[in-house]
Amino acid sequence: QTTRWRWHGNVKYKERTLEEKTKGIVIKSYDSGDRDKLITIFTPQGLVCAKLKGVNSPLSKLKFAKQCFCFADFVFAPSKFPVVTSAYLIDSFYDLTKDYDRFDEASKILRVAKPLMKENEPNPDLFVALLKSFKNLAYNNVQKNVVYAKFLLGLFYNQGYGFESEQCSNCGSILNETRYLNLSSGEVLCNFCKNQYNQKVTYGMNKVLKIIGQTDYDKLNTIKFSNQILLDTLQLLLNNYTNVLI
């Protein structure tokens, strides 16, 4: 609890208000004057913008909380603009900053996730997927771009888009090596039912999507693909990301 002094007429009294506490990931940080930082925190309940007072001081105990990717329990003083009064570090994912490729992949994941983050709009599935992605990139020896593809694929699945169907959604025929994705409906179509607007998914891409989709985050280090087919699959997801998910 925090205590706030209030006046009622000539009488001064104490008003006790509850502090708010939540787990969150810092996704943005910038200076506010010489000593303070403004940070954007993604929580399971949505985005929170808050101030870290005096955190630019070398003696500040909350210096860790201004770093991007910081995962912590944050405590906020109740006010119109939240102020972080304390924070308890859970994981800094510090290893991400020691390897350029891992840091770059984590940054790309965060970039595609940001448009889906809203203030006062809970998205616990996205929050968990981000944590699992950062954990894999920081601590597991996973092939480059596999975590990125897994994260993107999860976003498609959450919107009802499936890639693993072996039958045409329109005529019911068994799909051959190449199939086509109807982005407006999420249906998978055969060569005869497709139209010029459907997205081609080659046999190799479909195999990569199927394996990644069926593999849990903590097992991603057990799968390997040729770099080119993985890049082609990732590009398939990225090319359609804006139209489908945002």
Side-chain angles (χ1 to χ4, degrees):
Q1 284 188 331
T2 57
T3 301
R4 183 180 299 170
W5 288 99
R6 295 290 191 185
W7 287 90
H8 182 72
N10 295 323
V11 178
K12 187 178 182 182
Y13 67 95
K14 291 181 180 180
E15 180 188 70
R16 294 191 180 276
T17 56
L18 290 175
E19 292 179 325
E20 298 179 32
K21 182 178 180 181
T22 185
K23 287 179 170 58
I25 307 166
V26 176
I27 64 169
K28 187 176 181 181
S29 174
Y30 50 96
D31 288 330
S32 175
D34 294 333
R35 295 175 53 82
D36 302 339
K37 282 275 190 184
L38 296 179
I39 59 173
T40 303
I41 307 166
F42 180 51
T43 78
Q45 294 77 40
L47 285 177
V48 176
C49 294
K51 177 175 281 191
L52 284 167
K53 289 188 174 182
V55 77
N56 286 335
S57 167
L59 301 179
S60 173
K61 295 181 179 179
L62 294 179
K63 285 188 293 183
F64 67 87
K66 66 181 180 180
Q67 303 298 327
C68 193
F69 304 121
C70 169
F71 175 41
D73 278 313
F74 292 92
V75 180
F76 306 100
S79 64
K80 290 184 178 179
F81 193 89
V83 175
V84 177
T85 56
S86 58
Y88 306 93
L89 182 65
I90 300 172
D91 200 328
S92 66
F93 300 112
Y94 176 73
D95 285 7
L96 289 177
T97 65
K98 298 192 297 183
D99 183 284
Y100 173 79
D101 286 339
R102 294 184 182 189
F103 180 81
D104 182 59
E105 193 167 343
S107 298
K108 289 176 179 176
I109 289 171
L110 191 54
R111 188 156 54 245
V112 299
K114 279 182 178 179
L116 304 175
M117 302 174 182
K118 309 294 181 183
E119 190 174 352
N120 297 320
E121 192 172 300
N123 198 337
D125 290 339
L126 182 62
F127 183 80
V128 171
L130 272 178
L131 284 179
K132 289 181 176 180
S133 297
F134 295 160
K135 181 179 179 180
N136 264 276
L137 290 170
Y139 305 122
N140 295 336
N141 185 26
V142 183
Q143 182 182 359
K144 182 180 178 181
N145 289 321
V146 166
V147 177
Y148 193 11
K150 174 72 172 178
F151 182 80
L152 280 167
L153 189 57
L155 298 183
F156 278 87
Y157 282 160
N158 287 342
Q159 294 295 321
Y161 288 82
F163 297 89
E164 69 281 353
S165 175
E166 295 302 327
Q167 286 186 305
C168 175
S169 301
N170 186 49
C171 70
S173 64
I174 301 299
L175 294 169
N176 57 20
E177 292 186 355
T178 300
R179 66 275 318 275
Y180 297 83
L181 179 64
N182 184 332
L183 293 174
S184 62
S185 65
E187 295 177 322
V188 180
L189 303 171
C190 68
N191 187 55
F192 297 102
C193 296
K194 70 172 176 66
N195 62 45
Q196 60 181 325
Y197 303 108
N198 299 152
Q199 178 70 57
K200 182 178 181 179
V201 182
T202 67
Y203 173 78
M205 291 178 184
N206 186 65
K207 186 175 180 180
V208 170
L209 290 168
K210 192 171 185 178
I211 292 173
I212 290 178
Q214 293 175 348
T215 305
D216 293 335
Y217 270 96
D218 59 358
K219 300 293 185 181
L220 290 179
N221 61 337
T222 65
I223 56 178
K224 300 288 182 183
F225 307 100
S226 75
N227 290 329
Q228 189 57 56
I229 192 63
L230 180 57
L231 285 174
D232 290 344
T233 305
L234 183 60
Q235 199 59 53
L236 168 72
L237 296 171
L238 288 171
N239 285 346
N240 300 292
Y241 162 76
T242 302
N243 294 331
V244 172
L245 301 175
I246 299 179

